[in-house]
Amino acid sequence: MEFLTPIGQKIIKATAKEETPTPGYMFVELANHSLTEAKDLDVMQKCLLKRAASNDAMIKYKTFVVIKQLCLKGNPLLKRAFSRGAQVIKDALQYKGRPHPLRGDKPNQNVRDAAKAALSALYSQTKQAKTRKMEGFGGGRGIGSGALGSSGSGGTGSTGSPGSRSPTGGGGYGGGNVSPRSGTVMGPATSNKYGRGIGSSGSMELGRKRPEDHIRDGIHKAVSGLKTFGKQMETYAKKAMNDFN
């Protein structure tokens, strides 16, 4: 019954027994479906594990490739579901099907390799790198007219003379410089015992982004990521078919 559902039909197409490679866009569609349609996760798990139990080497191979991509790019809950039925994948590590008339044991070896890769993705730990972007130091943003540093290259102003400016926008805090984002004029610079210019009055802004800037950047990154992923899947599929040939 699972294969009669729309997602079941899509899985059948992605794991067809024909030797043509699975189109890269299908990996993206299945991964996105698992993220947006959580109610179908159980159906996806059952369909793929049933396809993995097939006696056809091509169906098994394509199924393990799909499972690998879903473990890496799909819903983490689906990854957990696969782990409960992982024995089917483990059994394929020793798969010995009928030799191909022309390729011999090559298709069977591809199945074993794909099963190994699927297990590796299944039990891999997801690493989320948290990065923080700090702006306002250098490049014409933040305090004064440019950056911190006598030459505009970062660091702290070295002259410390009141109102001094370097040719590239450095020279410490203040000096009558204007913050490019807020238009706030910094107070006149004064010298301390370390010879560093420090603004005596005025306000500072560290080049904060507006909310709409963050939204636009996020959309661009998401679109770029999907395009890159689709190209990688097409390349992977072509390489896989070359292995069969």
Side-chain angles (χ1 to χ4, degrees):
M1 295 295 293
E2 293 85 3
F3 291 109
L4 298 179
T5 62
I7 188 61
Q9 290 294 309
K10 186 171 293 186
I11 288 174
I12 289 178
K13 292 180 181 179
T15 60
K17 67 182 300 181
E18 288 76 19
E19 295 188 359
T20 53
T22 302
Y25 72 87
M26 296 199 74
F27 296 113
V28 178
E29 289 183 355
L30 290 173
N32 288 341
H33 190 91
S34 73
L35 293 169
T36 59
E37 302 293 338
K39 61 180 174 35
D40 289 340
L41 295 182
D42 186 60
V43 173
M44 295 180 70
Q45 184 249 20
K46 290 180 179 179
C47 288
L48 286 166
L49 291 182
K50 285 182 179 179
R51 297 293 277 179
S54 170
N55 291 324
D56 186 271
M58 180 60 70
I59 292 177
K60 294 176 79 71
Y61 168 75
K62 288 184 176 181
T63 300
F64 292 138
V65 173
V66 171
I67 290 176
K68 173 189 173 183
Q69 294 305 323
L70 288 176
C71 287
L72 295 175
K73 304 292 184 180
N75 195 316
L77 295 178
L78 184 58
K79 188 175 181 179
R80 294 181 185 177
F82 285 137
S83 66
R84 293 194 295 269
Q87 190 58 46
V88 176
I89 307 176
K90 293 178 181 178
D91 291 343
L93 295 176
Q94 307 298 327
Y95 177 73
K96 294 181 180 179
R98 293 182 179 179
H100 191 277
L102 300 177
R103 303 187 184 94
D105 191 56
K106 181 64 175 177
N108 301 325
Q109 182 62 50
N110 288 337
V111 171
R112 294 192 289 269
D113 292 342
K116 182 178 180 181
L119 281 176
S120 178
L122 178 60
Y123 293 117
S124 65
Q125 296 294 325
T126 302
K127 297 181 179 179
Q128 297 180 346
K130 296 182 180 180
T131 59
R132 295 181 179 179
K133 184 177 180 181
M134 183 174 183
E135 297 181 355
F137 296 88
R141 293 187 177 184
I143 302 170
S145 64
L148 309 183
S150 60
S151 62
S153 61
T156 309
S158 60
T159 61
S161 57
S164 63
R165 303 181 188 178
S166 68
T168 56
Y173 301 86
N177 297 326
V178 181
S179 171
R181 295 189 68 85
S182 66
T184 303
V185 178
M186 308 305 298
T190 59
S191 171
N192 63 7
K193 65 179 180 179
Y194 299 104
R196 296 173 179 173
I198 303 175
S200 61
S201 63
S203 61
M204 298 183 296
E205 180 176 2
L206 297 180
R208 296 177 181 174
K209 281 190 174 183
R210 296 173 296 175
E212 54 267 32
D213 293 334
H214 290 287
I215 294 174
R216 183 173 60 253
D217 291 346
I219 292 174
H220 288 328
K221 290 179 181 179
V223 172
S224 178
L226 287 176
K227 290 181 179 179
T228 302
F229 180 70
K231 292 180 180 179
Q232 291 176 343
M233 292 303 97
E234 290 181 3
T235 302
Y236 181 85
K238 291 179 181 179
K239 182 178 182 300
M241 292 311 304
N242 290 333
D243 291 339
F244 275 92
N245 297 324

